[in-house]
Amino acid sequence: MALTSIPGASSNNFSQEVQAALQGFLPGGLRVFTSIGSTNDEALAWASTGAPDFSLVIADEQTHGRGRMGRSWFTPPGAALAFSLILRPTPVERERIGLFAGLGALSLVDALQTFGVAAQIKWPNDVLLAGKKAAGILVETVWMGMEADSVVLGMGVNVTPQAVPPPEGLNYPATCVQAEAGKPLSRILLLRAILQAILRRRTMLTSPTFLHDWESALAFRNEIVRVWVSNEEVFEGKVLGLESDGSLRLELPERTVTIIRFGEVHLRPAL
Ligand code: ATP
């Protein structure tokens, strides 16, 4: 792997720590920034100019971190993990692009478990600790015609309390890893554990084991939730599990089963 040095990239402690932790470990290239608009934007641009598989863009701070549908993701300096991983899907993976959100979320659950922190996935793209949002996943695809050329798996993880946004304007209660772990935890070690988990989970992406483990990590399993689709249609039903493409299976009243696909979807527990 080549540790890429690019103009504007960071040369401070954060950069040195990241480079030292990932030396000889990352299969692709690496771009580290002290501050950046959005790691996903940088990764999308790099992906479209030929970044190798498993290349990483990481920043200490994002000034315009993005969530889904133009929402913003808060990433102050020194407090969070904010990175975007460029993956070049194999032909088999190209048929299952929807699984990459699960790959990110489940790998984070695995990594947190190695630090003794139990996490759950709020389908489709958030990771909860003690029922509160501690991380968000944003998957974006670079298309070449009809074919997915690369996938950018963006992840923002609140590590210390400073990463947790003020409650006004939050669409869901938030927390951070340190609060739930009850002790300080190294961002860099967590980063390494997440990347290790992604490498391992990716090898089983299309296997029944992957789907089973993703389902087992779902928040609100067998509970009644409300799901907003495109902010217009609302479904209320019991979370049954996942389809093989990662869509959510919901049991509606009168036992009809409906499948909710990725997209502009919001899930909440029914009160
Ligand atoms: P929903 O929970 O409704 O499904 P979402 O998953 O689509 O929302 P994202 O787009 O992933 O939400 O994240 C953006 C939203 O998350 C913001 O609108 C804000 O409310 C909240 N948010 C922003 N930064 C953070 C953060 N660091 N930690 C927790 N929540 C955040």
Side-chain angles (χ1 to χ4, degrees), residues 163-182:
V164 179
E168 324 69 77
L170 274 187
N171 65 354
Y172 204 84
T175 187
C176 66
V177 177
Q178 195 172 300
E180 304 310 325

Side-chain angles (χ1 to χ4, degrees), residues 175-191:
T175 187
C176 66
V177 177
Q178 195 172 300
E180 304 310 325
K183 57 181 181 208
L185 171 144
S186 153
R187 272 192 297 175
I188 304 298
L189 290 183
L190 179 59
L191 168 69

Side-chain angles (χ1 to χ4, degrees), residues 67-68 71-72 74 122 125-126 133 158 171 266 268:
R68 296 186 305 155
R71 285 187 286 277
S72 60
F74 180 66
K122 182 167 82 67
N125 70 320
D126 295 320
K133 201 196 283 201
N158 301 336
N171 65 354
H266 301 277
R268 296 286 181 275

Side-chain angles (χ1 to χ4, degrees), residues 13-14 20 22-23 34 36 38-39 59 61-62 67 69 72 95 110 115 117 202 207 210 231-233 240 259 265:
N13 280 351
F14 178 70
L22 301 184
Q23 186 80 50
T34 311
I36 197 170
S38 143
T39 58
E61 173 190 29
Q62 290 186 110
M69 311 289 161
S72 60
E95 304 302 313
D110 287 348
F115 291 90
V117 177
R202 190 184 180 187
S207 73
F210 179 82
N231 279 326
E232 285 160 13
E233 234 178 328
L240 295 181
I259 308 298
V265 177

